[in-house]
DNA sequence: CTATAAATGTCGGAG
DNA sequence: CTCCGACGTTTATAG
């Protein structure tokens, strides 16, 4: 196998699994590396078949060349359209739930807006606390150093706006890593640990009230 | 299929491809999404097989539960140990090329050293510009905000060294994202877009001269 | 289509 | 083992 594209890669001959999907993608698997193939071509792409040689190319001109020495097994199956995956507990859900129940962050908290825009990207939640101070909230599934850095950048920008300044910061996550907590404390950023199930319950109760 | 772990996910019944590798990993593929499975469990993990139900668990307590309704095809093959992949042309290459042709960054630029060590890690390139000022260069294939942050940390440290200070910063990448450019400008960091092929050409010419 | 941030990211290397 | 950065990141989403 040879790949010539964003990098060049070569794979010596060996017994491997080739998977060709209905979306046109091709992947070449060894018996390890979990689900990641040794090499692949993502759709949209096109397979040119010649005897013993496959050439897989995409629009960007990247190319996968596969030489078939021996076929031990070949099997084709119609899988149909997949009903799809339902995920729960990702960051977007947390943000929604928190936007619906900002008082989780502190007494008297109200939402100014979700995805408050700045020059370097949107702040997850912009709130006002019980005393009227502006609070920028970064929501994460897992609070790590990168989340603190992100919030720090937003705060720096937001604080330049005299209509918002002063601005406090909150990192809200289901789990906050010790290092992130230390860095946050050092920068005067408050950490709030979220309980997803409780939050979902609170929000449901809120909605049920009306 | 049900996954309970870092998130929860549910997959209704459908025809799918299950791949079980020698490393113990399990992946469940639909007929699209290139090489990424709908769900998976990475090694190390353990499969508990009961009639029609597989339970795949890992050490962290994450769990994949698979219900088998009907088996259309089942096939096992010994792939042996893979000779492995040879890659060429990734980011390390860019750094090499730039180290060989520092004038790409500006007239009169010379290299002090590659991988210049600091307390928080090595700076990709440390140079001197035409006027003798020190310049720290962060090399990336794609220049994003994280690259600007990384360089900012290095600059802060380097500027404390009276032998080096003052120190300028350059983010050099084949492609620089708009947001990264905004943040870099805000911090007085210069952005340089690299042309890989041209750089390779320049370096080849340089080498040919001697 | 581009730009951007999330991801069960994965993967490899250094400490 | 954890931390950290690269990845042909891939993927989904908003503009």
């Amino acid at each position: 196998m040879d790949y010539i594209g964003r990098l060049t890669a070569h794979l010596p001959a060996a017994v491997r699994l080739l998977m060709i999907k209905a979306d046109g993608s091709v992947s070449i698997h060894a018996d390890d590396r979990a689900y990641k193939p040794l090499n692949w071509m993502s759709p949209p792409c096109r397979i040119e078949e010649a005897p013993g040689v496959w050439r897989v190319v995409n629009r960007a001109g990247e190319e996968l060349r596969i030489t078939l020495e021996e076929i031990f097994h070949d099997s084709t199956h119609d899988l149909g359209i997949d009903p799809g995956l339902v995920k729960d507990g990702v960051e977007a859900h947390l943000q929604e739930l928190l936007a619906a129940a900002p008082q989780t962050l502190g007494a008297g908290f109200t939402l100014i807006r979700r995805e408050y825009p700045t020059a370097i990207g949107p702040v997850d939640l912009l709130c006002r606390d019980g005393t009227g101070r502006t609070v920028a909230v970064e929501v994460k599934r897992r609070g790590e150093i990168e989340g603190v850095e992100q919030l720090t950048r937003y705060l720096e920008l937001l604080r330049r706006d005299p209509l918002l300044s002063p601005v406090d910061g909150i990192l809200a996550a289901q789990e906050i890593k010790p290092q992130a907590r230390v860095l946050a404390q050092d920068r005067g950023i408050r950490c709030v640990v979220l309980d997803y199930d409780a939050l979902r319950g609170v929000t449901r109760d809120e909605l049920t009230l009306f």
Side-chain angles (χ1 to χ4, degrees), chain A:
Chain A
M1 199 286 323
D2 285 284
Y3 165 75
I4 305 152
R6 277 166 279 184
L7 54 72
T8 63
H10 174 72
L11 211 44
V15 180
R16 302 207 175 83
L17 170 74
L18 298 189
M19 179 163 59
I20 296 99
K21 288 191 173 185
D23 64 6
S25 64
V26 177
S27 32
I28 302 169
H29 285 268
D31 216 353
D32 59 359
R33 287 163 195 250
Y35 70 70
K36 192 144 192 219
L38 290 165
N39 261 292
W40 69 92
M41 186 63 78
S42 301
C45 63
R46 190 165 37 82
I47 305 184
E48 291 170 17
E49 281 187 58
V53 179
W54 291 0
R55 229 177 121 253
V56 191
V57 291
N58 70 5
R59 215 169 300 156
E62 294 171 86
E63 180 181 340
L64 198 60
R65 213 177 289 126
I66 304 168
T67 306
L68 304 170
E69 308 242 339
E70 189 180 349
I71 296 170
F72 296 96
H73 182 85
D74 183 6
S75 170
T76 303
H77 302 273
D78 188 357
L79 272 58
I81 294 176
D82 200 276
L85 184 66
V86 182
K87 290 184 181 183
D88 187 25
V90 286
E91 184 196 311
H93 296 163
L94 278 178
Q95 196 196 110
E96 274 170 45
L97 292 173
L98 210 48
Q103 70 277 11
T104 308
L105 299 169
F109 267 62
T110 54
L111 182 68
I112 297 175
R113 77 165 282 188
R114 275 175 66 186
E115 302 288 345
Y116 185 91
T118 77
I120 53 164
V123 181
D124 287 340
L125 299 177
L126 199 66
C127 296
R128 217 169 276 293
D129 72 10
T131 70
R133 281 173 71 93
T134 314
V135 186
V137 185
E138 179 65 33
V139 183
K140 283 269 178 277
R141 204 165 47 72
R142 283 191 296 186
E144 300 179 14
I145 282 182
E146 183 46 41
V148 181
E149 295 285 11
Q150 204 176 331
L151 181 53
T152 304
R153 289 193 294 271
Y154 292 138
L155 286 171
E156 191 191 333
L157 279 179
L158 294 171
R159 283 168 179 159
R160 292 181 195 168
D161 183 343
L163 294 177
L164 297 176
S165 195
V167 185
D168 293 334
I170 292 181
L171 175 67
Q174 282 183 277
E175 177 196 350
I176 296 182
K177 296 286 167 102
Q179 287 199 335
R181 195 178 287 277
V182 169
L183 186 63
Q185 176 140 33
D186 188 64
R187 299 195 178 164
I189 289 168
R190 186 152 71 86
C191 290
V192 174
V193 176
L194 302 173
D195 181 330
Y196 184 70
D197 293 326
L199 202 52
R200 196 158 47 176
V202 166
T203 310
R204 193 178 307 114
D205 294 347
E206 293 281 314
L207 293 173
T208 313
L209 284 173
F210 301 99

